[in-house]
Amino acid sequence: MTTASPAPPASSPASWLNNQPYLLLSLSSLFWAGNIVLARHVGAHVPPLTVTTIRWFGVFLILLPFAWPHLKRDWPALRKSLPLMLFLSLVGFAFNNAISYWAMQYTEALNALLIQSAGPLFVALWSLVLFGVRLTGAQFAGIAISLLGVLIIILRGDLAALASISFNRGDIMFASSLVAFGIYSAFIPRRPKIHQLSFLSFTTCCGATMLLPTAIWEAASGRVLQFDGTTLATLGYILIFPSTLAYLFFNRGVALIGPNRAAPFFHLVPVFGSAMAIVLLGEKLQPFHLIGYALVLAGVVIASRQGSAVK
């Protein structure tokens, strides 16, 4: 299993953060929770393929001044692993994000959060199928406990309500984005030994380039991006938090503790999403929230403990 490139000097705050996998993965989940809430809120206002293309070109341009020295140094390794890098660009950036934004035009936030809760299972499945990495008993128990907590939160304490939920094409699209991201997560520890800025800038540029024809098709179909206040605020949040920072943090966290130990942190996404609804939308804190939060946090702690996956 490969590790990320050497951290910055030990005296810097960035160095400390760069070696805190649980904090990094928690922040990634927080930023992605905000992204789901925002995508549902502006789904009818912004064209999804165009926004995703701008998202990754924007991240590439933000990172390029910092990544350029590392890209020049890491180019031989990137070129040697070009098929893998292009594949990761496709599943982790182009397809995964475009299809998830598109899906939010056809599904409800509740359904998306329910499907999101299956993220750790997709990571574990692909890690097993592709590389023979099995979950330990603690990881399986932790994922199951945190999944129960997620269901309690989303279903408002009534697990019987699960039977009444119906799924549509948007749900299938959103699930396919998780399948793709599960593959991406399983491959992250086997990426080339390059600086994380080299990795992220290269893959975002490739992902945006892959999406460019779809954005052109979308514009030709009549869905043109309107640069108003809502659009600019949406792009500002997307570029900084769920894109640049979340992917840097997630990649580093997986490199430090592996995909199976990192996977349960996906369950923090609906936890943060429900907390945002309470804080930002004025929803009332209920006992089932507290029970669900406790179960999710317990599951994450159990699954992410030392002694990770075995072969």
Side-chain angles (χ1 to χ4, degrees):
M1 181 177 292
T2 61
T3 59
S5 55
S11 59
S12 70
S15 175
W16 177 85
L17 180 62
N18 201 40
N19 290 285
Q20 305 298 318
Y22 307 130
L23 177 57
L24 292 170
L25 293 166
S26 297
L27 288 173
S28 296
S29 296
L30 173 63
F31 299 153
W32 284 331
N35 194 42
I36 289 179
V37 174
L38 181 63
R40 178 57 186 166
H41 180 67
V42 302
H45 183 77
V46 296
L49 301 177
T50 303
V51 164
T52 310
T53 304
I54 294 175
R55 173 184 185 178
W56 295 129
F57 271 132
V59 171
F60 170 68
L61 293 175
I62 290 172
L63 293 178
L64 186 58
F66 309 99
W68 182 248
H70 306 293
L71 280 168
K72 290 193 294 184
R73 185 197 63 200
D74 293 334
W75 176 244
L78 286 167
R79 184 171 56 189
K80 184 178 179 180
S81 302
L82 189 59
L84 174 60
M85 295 297 294
L86 292 176
F87 178 70
L88 291 175
S89 301
L90 174 65
V91 296
F93 296 88
F95 178 82
N96 163 50
N97 287 272
I99 204 71
S100 61
Y101 275 119
W102 201 354
M104 293 308 296
Q105 298 188 359
Y106 303 104
T107 189
E108 298 294 328
L110 172 63
N111 287 31
L113 289 171
L114 272 173
I115 298 167
Q116 178 77 39
S117 67
L121 304 180
F122 287 119
V123 175
L125 173 64
W126 286 116
S127 295
L128 175 63
V129 170
L130 295 172
F131 305 113
V133 179
R134 295 182 286 111
L135 290 171
T136 64
Q139 288 169 349
F140 181 83
I143 289 175
I145 292 171
S146 59
L147 178 59
L148 176 61
V150 167
L151 294 177
I152 288 175
I153 293 169
I154 295 175
L155 300 177
R156 306 182 70 82
D158 182 13
L159 295 182
L162 188 62
S164 65
I165 293 178
S166 59
F167 295 96
N168 57 31
R169 63 172 174 169
D171 303 319
I172 297 173
M173 293 164 66
F174 197 86
S176 70
S177 75
L178 284 182
V179 172
F181 199 76
I183 298 173
Y184 172 85
S185 302
F187 270 99
I188 281 296
R190 289 160 175 83
R191 67 181 177 90
K193 295 181 180 180
I194 57 176
H195 196 279
Q196 61 176 341
L197 289 177
S198 299
F199 176 81
L200 190 56
S201 59
F202 185 89
T203 48
T204 53
C205 182
C206 291
T209 303
M210 293 173 182
L211 285 169
L212 186 57
T214 69
I216 295 173
W217 167 81
E218 188 174 56
S221 301
R223 294 218 59 189
V224 180
L225 192 67
Q226 303 295 325
F227 285 97
D228 53 20
T230 299
T231 299
L232 293 176
T234 299
L235 289 175
Y237 177 82
I238 289 174
L239 286 173
I240 295 171
F241 294 102
S243 304
T244 305
L245 294 180
Y247 272 81
L248 283 171
F249 292 174
F250 178 79
N251 291 344
R252 177 62 179 170
V254 171
L256 288 171
I257 66 173
N260 279 346
R261 288 175 63 197
F265 284 84
F266 281 116
H267 284 161
L268 291 179
V269 173
V271 170
F272 286 134
S274 66
M276 287 177 184
I278 292 170
V279 174
L280 300 177
L281 303 180
E283 292 191 7
K284 185 178 179 181
L285 182 66
Q286 302 282 357
F288 66 78
H289 287 118
L290 300 178
I291 295 172
Y293 294 160
L295 287 171
V296 170
L297 293 176
V300 168
V301 169
I302 292 171
S304 60
R305 288 184 308 176
Q306 203 80 22
S308 79
V310 295
K311 283 194 176 183

